[in-house]
Amino acid sequence: MPQLTMTYDGVSRATDAEIDLAGLAMPAPGAFSAMIARPQIFRVAMLALGDIVHSNFEVLDKEEWRARVLDPVVGIHPDGVSFEAFSQDGSALGWVHFANTVFEEPDVRRGGCTSIDYSDKLEKCFRAIAPASRMRLRIGSAEGVRLEQGKKTHHEKKIDLPDGWLRGFGELHAGLLQASVTVPLSKADLFNILRAVKGRAPGMRGRGVVFDIQPGERVVVHVEPWDTIIRLQSPPPDVDEPISYKIYGRRRLSLLENLIPHVDSARLHLCGSSRPSYWELMMPGARMILAMSSWTARKFTKSFTESLRGAAAPIDDATLQRAAAFLADAELVSLDELAEGLGISADQAKGVALALCRQGLAIAEPESRGLRWRPLRYLPFAEVCGAGELSSREENAAGLLEAGKLEVLSSVEREGLRMASARCEGSAGIYDLKLTLNPDGSFAAAECACKWMTKNRNDLRGGPCKHLLALRSHVLNRATEENRHA
């Protein structure tokens, strides 16, 4: 039987046939050591991740090509091991999770993460894995990660993650935390969708995939602009009212094609029209999520659209520090468990989850509707609150409030929703704006007369403008003060 041993705590180095993948410096390094039990599914999933890593669906300029990093992150969790990486163009991410059943009983397991380089030689090693192979894989920051097969070994050098990846992970998981509908897909459903979008003329406009969802009825999929209609075989999702979501990324769906023979079932997590989509595939002993940004030109690694639109319930520094410590200890929790463990509301728990994802300390887990501990950087908990990167729009919004340029006209709360209207002094005059916030502080609806919102069709497609962010901050700060007085 093939053997896989993962240890964690080493220095990267490389020879012709041995992989050494160094860990990130951290106070308590993670560790994993186990023998492989299902080499074939490991091979298939890692090659599929390689397809995503090497994919590029837009023309990159010279600087972007020089800066490209093919650098998967390896995570060690209570229920298995995961690998995740962005595509070259930054518009897609693949996340593969191998359950404990893929391995024999681990000799060592400590939660943590590291990053590796997905090189051509590494891919060649994965391709060489056969059902009868005897292979050993070690991951560590002391001895590195080594892939051994007979007398051949291969070392792979570790590459530090670029700063943009922290932004990208936060942006991606912010969208996944906000997914409002989960559409179950059978293997046949997934095959039919991929077949319908494959081989179409790339230059045609309107290349969207529309999901029409009616309560109690099977989902109908329209592939535009060819009027192809697919009625899904899977049971309908649980919704209370009709929904129609249009997503983009037809070409990127081809990255799932090689996994079809191994898939048992799938799920599609949707945030809304023209927003990211998350395709989750279940295989024996493994899961893969293909996350796609709203369209190819909008990169996860260069955007704050989903983060700015997401949960923003007021969170104090002490709560966020306790949340980081709680998640580090538990490693995997649902949002309900997070709320109960911290003694906060469900809305605040969602805001805490988003903050931890943006700071590179956690990833969203759709299966348990919660979080996984995945610390890309290791800071004292006292520094956690100041570690998140602010977007220029957030900084400009704070400047508007400090300068007194926002005049709030009304602010009320009804049935958990907060509604407000205001005028704000901008670069081209006075803008009228209004918003409706969900209980967790995310935008339910918003309007502003500024150029940014007009350009983005007033539907938050490009995220909220600085004026709306300033008004939201005012509304949430006022709510915090009222609760404190109460």
Side-chain angles (χ1 to χ4, degrees), residues 420-442:
S421 62
R423 292 194 184 113
C424 189
E425 181 182 343
S427 57
I430 303 297
Y431 303 127
D432 293 323
L433 59 151
K434 59 182 179 180
L435 56 71
T436 300
L437 299 179
N438 292 312
D440 63 4
S442 60

Side-chain angles (χ1 to χ4, degrees), residues 98-255:
F98 297 104
N100 288 330
T101 55
V102 174
F103 312 102
E104 296 185 4
E105 185 65 27
D107 300 321
V108 179
R109 182 199 298 279
R110 288 198 306 271
C113 72
T114 186
S115 57
I116 66 174
D117 176 35
Y118 199 112
S119 68
D120 293 337
K121 288 185 178 181
L122 178 60
E123 184 172 17
K124 185 177 180 180
C125 291
F126 289 141
R127 292 191 182 281
I129 298 176
S133 297
R134 291 194 59 82
M135 187 165 288
R136 181 184 296 269
L137 178 65
R138 302 175 187 267
I139 304 175
S141 56
E143 63 184 59
V145 174
R146 182 175 300 171
L147 186 60
E148 302 171 346
Q149 187 171 5
K151 295 183 179 180
K152 295 183 178 180
T153 60
H154 177 74
H155 283 232
E156 192 62 51
K157 187 177 180 180
K158 177 201 175 275
I159 298 178
D160 292 333
L161 294 176
D163 293 338
W165 276 41
L166 287 174
R167 181 190 306 114
F169 284 128
E171 178 71 4
L172 181 146
H173 293 293
L176 187 51
L177 283 169
Q178 297 174 73
S180 56
V181 177
T182 296
V183 179
L185 301 170
S186 67
K187 183 174 183 176
D189 292 332
L190 187 63
F191 175 79
N192 288 334
I193 293 174
L194 266 60
R195 181 179 61 177
V197 302
K198 183 180 179 181
R200 301 292 189 174
M204 296 184 69
R205 292 183 175 275
R207 300 185 304 274
V209 181
V210 180
F211 290 81
D212 284 333
I213 305 171
Q214 301 287 337
E217 299 182 12
R218 296 185 187 274
V219 176
V220 177
V221 181
H222 301 264
V223 182
E224 297 178 344
W226 305 283
D227 296 328
T228 302
I229 298 177
I230 303 169
R231 187 175 295 274
L232 301 186
Q233 301 177 8
S234 302
D238 185 16
V239 297
D240 298 326
E241 57 185 8
I243 299 174
S244 181
Y245 285 160
K246 182 176 182 178
I247 64 172
Y248 297 90
R250 176 180 60 83
R251 292 184 298 161
R252 288 175 285 172
L253 286 177
S254 63
L255 296 169

